[in-house]
Amino acid sequence: MGVQLFSPQGMMQPVPYHHVAVASGSRHVHVAGQISRDEAGRPVASGDLRGQVAQALRNTARGLGSAGAGFSDVVRLTFYVTNWAPERIGDFMAGVDDVAAELGLPRPLPPASLIGVDHLFEPDVEVEVEATAIVD
């Protein structure tokens, strides 16, 4: 199994993610939206976008790992962020940078979307991350 990540010539450069992922494998792993909560459901990093991004990615890694996958198998990430504004990108990317080495996040990231939303299901939740991976 393998995931090939690339950004073809003629597509916007540079971006913090690859534009295309091509994967071969037989099992699809879909990790539901992960937020910044610990295993007991307690909020982690309330009011801190950077910390919430990091914790949501840690939880995503746990979900992937439970299915025998890792971020090297991910072909798609979707981030939902409340009250999004372009000036928040620094804190968002800092959260990614904080855990990239720890979690084995490829840099640039796999194909990803960041979608700004008014709110998520709880008032303290600022970030939700979904992942799709392909493994043998």
Side-chain angles (χ1 to χ4, degrees), residues 31-92:
V31 178
Q34 296 300 301
I35 61 173
S36 184
R37 294 270 205 272
D38 66 16
E39 62 187 28
R42 294 178 298 247
V44 175
S46 287
D48 173 20
L49 178 61
R50 179 179 184 163
Q52 286 204 20
V53 168
Q55 183 63 35
L57 285 167
R58 285 185 183 105
N59 291 343
T60 302
R62 284 184 190 95
L64 289 166
S66 73
F71 278 106
S72 63
D73 303 305
V74 169
V75 296
R76 183 85 181 138
L77 289 170
T78 304
F79 295 89
Y80 301 92
V81 182
T82 62
N83 302 310
W84 181 254
E87 56 271 11
R88 298 186 82 195
I89 194 68
D91 286 337
F92 178 86

Side-chain angles (χ1 to χ4, degrees), residues 7 12-13 16 29-31 34 37 48 53 61 71 77 83 88 93-94 97 119 121-122 133:
S7 291
M12 187 173 78
Q13 303 292 334
V29 178
H30 299 268
V31 178
Q34 296 300 301
R37 294 270 205 272
D48 173 20
V53 168
F71 278 106
L77 289 170
N83 302 310
R88 298 186 82 195
M93 291 307 299
D97 291 339
H119 56 275
F121 73 101
E122 295 274 341

Side-chain angles (χ1 to χ4, degrees), residues 6 28 39 45 56 59 77 83 91 93 96 103 105-106 115 125 128 135-136:
F6 57 95
H28 291 230
E39 62 187 28
N59 291 343
L77 289 170
N83 302 310
D91 286 337
M93 291 307 299
V96 172
L103 303 178
L105 277 167
I115 301 167
V125 177
E128 189 167 330
V135 294
D136 280 331

